[in-house]
Structures are given as C-alpha cells and as structure tokens.
Amino acid sequence: MPDNNKNILIVIADQLSQKGVGCYGNYNVYTPNIDGLARNGVRFNNAYTPCPLCMPARAAFWTGTLAHDTWSVSNGDQFENGKVEENVPTLGSIFNAAGYETVHFGKMHDNGALRGFDCAEQKEIFIEGSEAWPAAYGSRRDEYTTKVSVEYLQKSHEKPFIMIADINNPHDICNWVGANRDEHEDITPPGKLPELPDNFEIDDLEKRPLPVQYICCSHNRLSMAAPWTEDNYRHYIAAYHHYVQRADTHIGMILDALRKSDAAENTLVVFFADHGDGMACHKMVTKQVSFYEETTCVPLIFAGPGIAGEDTVMNPLVSLSDLVPTLCDYVGLESPGGIYGRSILPYLEGHVPDIEREYVVSEWMTEWGYTIEPGRMVRSARYKYTRFIEGDGEELYD
C-alpha cells in the first residue's frame, strides 16, 4: 500500500545543462534557489537524459523507458512519432490509480506520456523583457505556471498529491538565437561578459562523425550561429545565464509557497532538467544530434522527508528514466516491470544498492524530421562511446 502521508513536488527546467547551475560549479550564474535545494538534499553528478531533445526525453522519463520503446523519437512535424500507448504505465496513471491527486502545470510536450495527470492549460502572462534579454513565450508561460503552482500549494489537500511545475526556461535562449542570427552587433548587457569555455573550438572537426560535422548546416539554430564572432558567443553564454536565472527565480517562488504550506513537512521535492544546452562548447548552441556532456548531463536533485543528509553529492550513473521506479519505491507502490529505469532510492536513503548501473544510454533520431541522424551514446564510469549510423561514425572518450 502507498504511504499516504507522502506528497511529491516535481520541478523541471527545460534545456538546463548541469554546467549551467551554480551548485554544480558554475560561478558565473546566480541560482540561489536550486543551490539551496541541493544544500538540503542529495544531488547527482552523473545524471543523464535518455535523449537530448524535449519530446523524446519527456516521453521516456514519464514512462521509465527509452525513447525507442515508445517510438517517441522526435519533436514531431515532418517525422511521425508513435503515440504512447494506453497500455504503457505512466507516472500519472500509476499514482492516479493509487488515489493521489495528480496535477501538472506548465510545459507538456509529452506525446501522451502525461496520461493520468490533470494538465492545466498553458497560458501566458505578459512581461517586459529588455533589449538585451527579450522575453519570449517561454518566459510568459513561466509567469502563469508559477502563479497556478503557487495557488495549488497554498490550498489544503485532503488526499496526497504529486504535482509537476514544468518551467520553460532557459529554453527562451532559442528565441534569443533567432533574434541575433548571423553577423550582428550585440546589445551590451549589464555586467562583465563570461569567458569562452575551454572546449570552445573543435580542432579536429573533420575526424568527428558526419552528423557532428554537418550540425552547423543541418540544425536551424546552429546555422544561425555559424557566422558569429567570439564576442557573439560570449553574449550567448550571458543570455543563457540570464534565462537560467529567470527559471531559478520562478523555482524559488514555487519552493517558497511549499515552505509556507501545510504540506511542507511531508513533501519530497525533485528537481531536474529534460536535457541540456550546448553553452558554446564546441561552438554549439541550443541542442542537436551530438551527445556531448553539455546537452546530455543534467542536474538532478532530491530533497525532503526520508532523504539522507544535507548537501550530499552522489556520483553513480543514473538516468532520468529512473524517475518512475524511484518515486514508486519512495511511496511503496509497485513499479512497472520490464522498463529501462531502476529505482535509485537506496542512494537517497544513504546507502549503495546491491547492483549499480554499469552504464547509461542516450539516443537520437531526429529533431523535426528534416534531417535524420540515428545515433546512440553509452556512458560507463570511465568511458563514453557514441555511434552514428551515417558514415559509420564513432567517438570514444576516456
């Protein structure tokens, strides 16, 4: 039987690389609310997305599977995904059947994997941006998502709940690239510009797999950034930090509402991002076919009742697909069988499970179907191996 005294609050950021968060070592970005959550809980250093793209990642981690299991392998458009079938257990359907209030606010993009959740309409509240940092639809939707999330947490609840606050930012960086495409003069923002990353250049591009070589032409946002100067890329990083900080502000408002609620003492908080961002590493912006750390390695933090210690750092390999079995395990529900994900609750309780993962995987098919570049990543404790069908391309990192 489930533990009806345990609530769960899941907070998600869209396109937030682990390298874009203060508590993971980025001293150029201000993320006090995410950092504060990490200080009060457990953060994982080696958490990987099942796909560095929105819809495939979300369809996977809401079902505990990999993208190809549900055939949700693209964002749609010119590529027809398979819908997540009704007989596939989802996080929402499992908890809903167990008597939980299951509510979702914010970005969906799930291809049916949020079945079982009562999903609020995605509305926008107008906000002023600035010349340097325009506010696109993501920021406007985040205003509304935060508002309704806070209102929900302020209410009394007769039943246990699992609530998702799905924040869009820092995804507005995509619109920023569109507004600053090709050769341009940057609008100088306040403050000092960050330095370029150590891996900004790719000195051996001609030796990389063909999909990586062609990424500047096959991906819309990367083609927009191809003519940029080094200062343009530095402005990009500064813009990315700005939208990360926007997300952190909204996250702080939601966490503050929880702290002031009658559910504060019995609610587990889970924070992660669906995938990362290029962050100008390898001269890459936003995300696409590559499996570099910036786009595949994401923040993952748990804090709340039953979580061992404070400011605890865990280094095992974990996947976002582990979310479903972990949360089932946490409240005493049976996890679906035959899925890729496995419970990481032992780490949260302060001990090592009997069997640890030897590797995690991430995969790619296509973004919108205009180009198709099937590839896969296998990451062990020591090595990362990537393989692409096109050109029989591969990479191996120690």
Side-chain angles (χ1 to χ4, degrees):
M1 292 293 293
D3 186 338
N4 289 326
N5 292 317
K6 291 180 177 179
N7 305 307
I8 299 171
L9 169 61
I10 301 173
V11 184
I12 305 174
D14 190 332
Q15 202 160 310
L16 177 57
S17 175
Q18 190 181 101
K19 291 186 177 182
V21 183
C23 63
Y24 282 100
N26 188 328
Y27 304 114
N28 293 309
V29 67
Y30 184 58
T31 52
N33 298 298
I34 299 173
D35 299 349
L37 190 67
R39 282 195 300 273
N40 291 308
V42 175
R43 78 175 189 268
F44 288 87
N45 279 345
N46 293 303
Y48 286 85
T49 181
C51 178
L53 185 64
C54 295
M55 189 182 290
R58 291 163 183 267
F61 61 63
W62 293 137
T63 57
T65 65
L66 294 173
H68 72 268
D69 291 321
T70 58
W71 202 241
S72 297
V73 293
S74 80
N75 275 347
D77 201 352
Q78 298 299 305
F79 191 94
E80 186 175 353
N81 288 304
K83 197 77 171 177
V84 176
E85 296 181 0
E86 288 291 323
N87 64 346
V88 174
T90 67
L91 184 69
S93 69
I94 295 167
F95 275 77
N96 187 275
Y100 276 71
E101 285 185 6
T102 49
V103 294
H104 177 281
F105 304 108
K107 179 168 181 171
M108 291 182 282
H109 215 184
D110 62 297
N111 199 30
L114 280 170
R115 176 168 35 84
F117 280 98
D118 181 9
C119 296
E121 185 180 355
Q122 296 182 74
K123 297 182 180 180
E124 298 180 13
I125 296 176
F126 178 78
I127 57 171
E128 288 282 356
S130 65
E131 277 195 302
W133 317 132
Y137 73 89
S139 294
R140 296 192 295 269
R141 287 181 178 177
D142 286 350
E143 292 289 321
Y144 182 75
T145 296
T146 302
K147 174 180 178 293
V148 291
S149 295
V150 168
E151 289 172 353
Y152 180 82
L153 291 169
Q154 288 173 336
K155 296 189 302 183
S156 295
H157 303 280
E158 295 182 0
K159 298 196 300 183
F161 65 80
I162 179 169
M163 173 194 145
I164 302 171
D166 221 324
I167 301 299
N168 276 270
N169 268 324
H171 192 276
D172 268 6
I173 191 64
C174 296
N175 298 79
W176 187 91
V177 174
N180 293 276
R181 63 183 301 164
D182 302 329
E183 295 182 20
H184 67 275
E185 292 293 327
D186 289 300
I187 299 169
T188 303
K192 182 181 177 182
L193 288 176
E195 296 300 318
L196 293 171
D198 292 338
N199 59 348
F200 174 67
E201 297 283 358
I202 300 183
D203 296 328
D204 60 346
L205 184 60
E206 72 283 354
K207 296 180 181 179
R208 303 294 171 111
L210 290 178
V212 176
Q213 292 186 41
Y214 300 157
I215 203 169
C216 63
C217 307
S218 64
H219 185 252
N220 188 33
R221 297 302 185 189
L222 277 101
S223 67
M224 291 175 176
W228 281 359
T229 66
E230 289 191 359
D231 272 352
N232 293 154
Y233 279 102
R234 293 175 68 202
H235 276 80
Y236 174 85
I237 301 170
Y240 184 70
H241 289 164
H242 168 79
Y243 295 116
V244 170
Q245 289 166 194
R246 270 191 180 276
D248 184 81
T249 297
H250 287 113
I251 291 165
M253 295 169 69
I254 295 167
L255 295 178
D256 187 56
L258 175 64
R259 282 190 289 268
K260 294 176 180 177
S261 76
D262 58 6
E265 298 302 317
N266 61 333
T267 300
L268 172 71
V269 180
V270 186
F271 171 74
F272 62 92
D274 57 353
H275 56 77
D277 182 278
M279 293 187 68
C281 301
H282 314 292
K283 289 190 176 178
M284 292 186 180
V285 299
T286 69
K287 74 282 183 186
Q288 233 267 350
V289 62
S290 73
F291 294 103
Y292 299 126
E293 290 291 279
E294 292 76 21
T295 56
T296 57
C297 191
V298 294
L300 177 61
I301 300 170
F302 292 78
I307 303 304
E310 295 182 353
D311 201 14
T312 301
V313 180
M314 290 286 184
N315 293 310
L317 293 164
V318 296
S319 168
L320 293 185
S321 297
D322 297 336
L323 182 71
V324 169
T326 300
L327 296 184
C328 286
D329 205 4
Y330 178 74
V331 302
L333 290 172
E334 185 176 353
S335 178
I339 60 175
Y340 172 73
R342 60 178 66 177
S343 175
I344 57 173
L345 184 64
Y347 297 117
L348 302 178
E349 295 176 337
H351 56 272
V352 177
D354 294 335
I355 301 175
E356 293 191 277
R357 277 194 185 279
E358 293 183 26
Y359 58 87
V360 291
V361 301
S362 188
E363 57 190 329
W364 181 273
M365 176 65 78
T366 179
E367 184 172 22
W368 300 106
Y370 296 99
T371 61
I372 297 176
E373 313 92 348
R376 221 169 246 179
M377 173 201 89
V378 178
R379 168 72 156 84
S380 70
R382 179 172 178 179
Y383 298 108
K384 177 189 280 190
Y385 176 69
T386 66
R387 181 67 175 257
F388 298 90
I389 290 178
E390 183 184 8
D392 204 23
E394 58 185 353
E395 297 169 291
L396 178 65
Y397 296 95
D398 186 339

